């Protein structure tokens, strides 16, 4: 192979190259010979057929395969000889290919930018913290008590009211035809919980035990079962029991039922959990503040194709949300062209920050360890109290899920590394300010680009 021209335009490197007809023919013949060794041709022993016959039989079928491989090898050679760091797979365009003629082609390589990582100790950030309000602790304990409350059947003969739990049988139908999933027996339904279709529970308030009620509702337009979405339905409901909740007394005995020694120890445990939540919120804001600073302080060209791929991913999510009527109020109010322009900027920012963080990780020789992955799985399991074993089993049996953890885990490790070098000023703020993320809502709308380990 011979490179005849080498041009650069920013991150894009363009090469014109030639593979001689003789070199191509040599590879074609070598391929035919390899095939012939293991192929029997009538009238000849394996490997003994005349070369002319072999070429006539196999040449046409191997031309494309040999050409593809030689072009791929040529592109790899160009990348290696020019010490390039491709951002994506190179583009190879065949410009001249004729029997007995030299092969001419172009190779276009979009490269990663050269990034000079600076001194992070010059960066100063505020780390926000909040005190845990006593009322927040009591609110959390009351919530737990609510989840553990029991219900008892009422002894008096009175109509149902909001907050009651009615035990019902029901059968749903559309245009007089019963539909799948619309039938239930001895179902406990808390009136006012809004767990059923809008309007369903309201029509059971003011009723008595033994009443049979036809509940008329309309399924929401975005209902998950598309065959029912937007349709009017009738549920034949029978009220079999009326129950009312019994308040749980919050005392030492209640604390002991949760595995604590006393109510005071339960309060202390709740304080620690809330502090952990505050710490997570603080870290989220700290990370955002760091990324904002890095975005302002570092300026370099980003590969257009990486930006386009990130943008396409954002738009795909937007189109899905639009299709299923799941756009947030910001997106609904924004002109679509303006919104897409914003998403293009977000895509460029994410690619830029992703490349910068990757470079930091590379320079610092950071690596993902099995312990990092295990910690990530443990943290994921904590999000599902009572289902920890199911989460562990999921990752144990799903290697793809484990692989999907690696990019975000590596990014967090890099961010922690940088935060370990910046100057932090601890600043006590209100809980409202700690959890206020509105100032950067656009950046949070779509999942952040993952930082790949190089």
């Amino acid at each position: 192979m011979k490179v005849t021209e080498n041009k650069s335009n920013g991150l894009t490197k363009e090469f014109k190259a030639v593979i001689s007809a003789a070199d191509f023919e040599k590879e074609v013949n070598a391929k035919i010979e390899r095939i012939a060794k293991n192929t029997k041709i009538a009238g000849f022993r394996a490997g003994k057929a005349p070369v002319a016959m072999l070429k006539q039989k196999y040449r046409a079928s191997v031309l494309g395969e040999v050409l593809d491989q030689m072009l791929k090898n040529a592109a790899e050679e160009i990348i290696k000889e020019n010490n390039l760091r491709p951002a994506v797979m190179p583009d190879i365009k065949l410009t001249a290919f004729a029997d007995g003629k030299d092969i001419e082609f172009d190779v276009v390589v979009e490269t990663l930018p050269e990034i000079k990582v600076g001194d992070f100790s010059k960066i100063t950030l505020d780390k926000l913290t909040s005190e845990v309000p006593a009322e927040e602790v009591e609110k959390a304990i009351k919530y737990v008590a609510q989840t553990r409350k029991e219900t008892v059947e009422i002894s008096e003969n009175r109509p149902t009211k909001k907050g009651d739990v009615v035990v019902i049988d029901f059968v749903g139908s559309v245009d007089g035809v019963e539909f799948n999933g619309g039938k239930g027996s001895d179902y406990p339904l808390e009136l006012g919980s809004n767990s059923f279709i809008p309007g369903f529970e309201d029509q059971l308030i003011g009723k008595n035990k033994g009443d049979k009620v036809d509940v008329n509702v309309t399924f929401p337009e975005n209902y998950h079962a598309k065959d029912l979405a937007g349709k009017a339905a009738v549920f034949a409901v029978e009220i079999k029991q009326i129950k009312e909740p019994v308040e749980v007394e919050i005392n030492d005995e209640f604390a002991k039922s949760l595995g604590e020694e006393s109510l005071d120890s339960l309060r202390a445990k709740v304080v620690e959990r809330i502090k952990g939540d505050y710490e997570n919120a603080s870290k989220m804001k700290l990370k955002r503040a760091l990324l904002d600073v890095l975005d302002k302080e570092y300026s370099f060209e980003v590969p257009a194709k990486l930006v386009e791929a990130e943008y396409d991913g954002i738009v795909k999510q937007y189109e899905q949300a639009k299709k299923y009527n799941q756009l947030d109020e910001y997106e609904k109010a924004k002109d679509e062209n303006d919104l897409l322009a914003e998403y293009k900027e977000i895509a460029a920012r994410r690619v830029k920050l992703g490349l910068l963080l990757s470079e930091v990780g590379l320079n610092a020789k950071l690596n993902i360890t099995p312990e990092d992955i295990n910690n990530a799985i443990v943290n994921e399991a904590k999000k599902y109290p009572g289902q920890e074993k199911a989460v562990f089993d999921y990752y144990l049996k799903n290697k793809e899920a484990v692989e999907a953890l690696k990019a975000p885990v590596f990014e967090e490790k890099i961010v922690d590394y940088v935060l370990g070098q910046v100057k932090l000023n601890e600043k006590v703020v209100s809980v409202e300010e700690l959890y206020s993320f509105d100032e950067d809502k656009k950046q949070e709308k779509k999942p952040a680009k993952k930082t790949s380990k190089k």
Side-chain angles (χ1 to χ4, degrees):
M1 180 199 66
K2 178 183 178 183
V3 175
T4 60
E5 190 176 339
N6 180 353
K7 293 192 301 183
S8 293
N9 181 16
L11 297 178
T12 303
K13 316 297 180 184
E14 299 181 33
F15 302 87
K16 290 187 177 297
V18 175
I19 295 175
S20 70
D23 286 342
F24 179 67
E25 195 64 29
K26 181 180 177 181
E27 288 299 319
V28 170
N29 291 337
K31 179 72 173 178
I32 292 173
E33 289 175 8
R34 288 194 295 271
I35 293 173
K37 286 180 180 179
N38 301 309
T39 305
K40 290 184 178 180
I41 297 178
F44 300 93
R45 287 179 294 162
K48 298 298 182 180
V51 174
M53 180 180 290
L54 293 172
K55 286 185 177 182
Q56 183 179 9
K57 185 175 180 63
Y58 295 114
R59 192 173 192 279
S61 63
V62 303
L63 282 179
E65 185 179 343
V66 172
L67 178 62
D68 287 344
Q69 189 60 52
M70 290 191 76
L71 292 178
K72 180 181 176 182
N73 292 344
E76 290 175 354
E77 184 180 335
I78 287 172
I79 290 170
K80 184 177 180 181
E81 288 186 352
N82 289 274
N83 296 316
L84 302 180
R85 297 170 63 201
V88 293
M89 292 292 291
D91 285 335
I92 305 173
K93 182 182 179 182
L94 190 64
T95 56
F97 179 55
D99 196 23
K101 302 288 187 180
D102 290 345
I103 300 168
E104 298 177 15
F105 60 100
D106 296 336
V107 177
V108 180
V109 185
E110 190 170 30
T111 61
L112 294 172
E114 293 295 327
I115 303 172
K116 185 178 180 181
V117 177
D119 183 1
F120 297 125
S121 66
K122 295 180 180 179
I123 297 174
T124 300
L125 298 173
D126 288 335
K127 181 181 180 182
L128 307 185
T129 63
S130 291
E131 299 296 333
V132 180
E135 59 268 24
E136 196 68 24
V137 178
E138 297 307 313
K139 181 180 176 182
I141 293 176
K142 285 180 181 179
Y143 175 79
V144 175
Q146 282 291 103
T147 63
R148 296 174 68 86
K149 69 181 180 182
E150 296 180 351
T151 57
V152 294
E153 187 171 4
I154 62 173
S155 56
E156 59 181 309
N157 184 19
R158 66 162 176 81
T160 58
K161 60 183 180 180
K162 189 174 182 180
D164 285 342
V165 173
V166 291
V167 179
I168 60 174
D169 289 348
F170 61 88
V171 178
S173 60
V174 172
D175 296 331
V177 179
E178 183 180 334
F179 55 85
N180 290 334
K183 186 175 183 180
S185 299
D186 296 325
Y187 188 93
L189 174 63
E190 180 181 344
L191 301 181
S193 65
N194 297 319
S195 55
F196 267 31
I197 304 165
F200 188 103
E201 295 167 25
D202 293 341
Q203 295 177 56
L204 297 181
I205 293 176
K207 307 301 179 183
N208 293 290
K209 178 180 177 180
D211 283 356
K212 294 182 178 180
V213 184
D214 284 342
V215 175
N216 293 276
V217 294
T218 300
F219 284 97
E221 292 292 341
N222 61 345
Y223 193 65
H224 61 85
K226 294 304 173 187
D227 57 328
L228 297 175
K231 291 186 177 179
V234 178
F235 284 84
V237 180
E238 179 182 356
I239 300 175
K240 300 173 73 175
Q241 285 183 311
I242 302 174
K243 296 183 176 183
E244 59 184 3
V246 177
E247 293 295 326
V248 176
E249 189 175 352
I250 298 174
N251 52 24
D252 287 344
E253 290 303 314
F254 168 69
K256 288 176 182 178
S257 73
L258 296 173
E260 297 298 325
E261 293 181 359
S262 65
L263 185 56
D264 286 342
S265 65
L266 174 61
R267 286 195 177 100
K269 185 64 69 67
V270 171
V271 168
E272 288 305 310
R273 182 187 62 76
I274 295 176
K275 280 184 177 179
D277 292 341
Y278 287 2
E279 182 63 28
N280 289 336
S282 175
K283 186 173 181 180
M284 284 177 62
K285 298 206 79 164
L286 189 58
K287 177 181 177 180
R288 176 181 297 171
L290 173 66
L291 295 180
D292 286 344
V293 169
L294 295 179
D295 185 36
K296 290 177 182 178
E297 291 198 355
Y298 286 83
S299 179
F300 51 84
E301 187 179 357
V302 293
K305 288 189 176 180
L306 290 184
V307 174
E308 197 62 36
E310 179 69 16
Y311 174 72
D312 288 346
I314 294 175
V315 172
K316 184 176 180 181
Q317 290 178 331
Y318 166 73
E319 294 293 347
Q320 280 288 100
K322 183 179 177 182
K323 179 180 179 181
Y324 293 104
N325 195 27
Q326 295 173 341
L327 295 177
D328 63 24
E329 294 307 314
Y330 178 82
E331 289 174 313
K332 290 177 182 177
K334 196 78 174 175
D335 176 80
E336 187 169 66
N337 289 330
D338 292 340
L339 190 63
L340 294 178
E342 286 182 4
Y343 287 156
K344 191 78 172 194
E345 292 176 4
I346 291 172
R349 169 188 160 104
R350 290 180 182 164
V351 170
K352 174 185 175 181
L353 291 173
L355 292 175
L356 173 59
L357 292 178
S358 291
E359 194 68 24
V360 172
L362 188 66
N363 291 351
K365 296 182 172 58
L366 298 179
N367 292 296
I368 303 173
T369 66
E371 184 180 3
D372 294 329
I373 297 299
N374 289 338
N375 289 338
I377 294 174
V378 169
N379 290 334
E380 193 68 22
K382 287 179 180 178
K383 298 177 184 177
Y384 304 93
Q387 302 178 52
E388 291 87 352
K389 186 179 183 302
V391 175
F392 287 126
D393 288 343
Y394 171 74
Y395 283 104
L396 186 64
K397 298 173 182 177
N398 193 331
K399 291 184 178 180
E400 289 184 358
V402 175
E403 286 298 315
L405 281 177
K406 289 184 177 180
V409 166
F410 188 52
E411 179 177 291
E412 285 303 310
K413 193 164 188 174
I414 297 169
V415 169
D416 288 343
Y417 169 80
V418 177
L419 289 175
Q421 298 181 56
V422 305
K423 295 176 182 177
L424 298 178
N425 291 328
E426 193 164 294
K427 182 181 178 183
V428 179
V429 298
S430 67
V431 176
E432 290 74 20
E433 185 175 347
L434 180 65
Y435 280 95
S436 173
F437 294 96
D438 293 340
E439 71 274 11
D440 196 19
K441 190 173 183 179
K442 291 188 299 181
Q443 298 294 347
E444 291 298 306
K445 182 64 187 79
K446 304 295 178 182
K449 181 172 177 63
K450 308 304 183 185
T451 302
S452 301
K453 181 181 175 225
K454 292 184 185 144

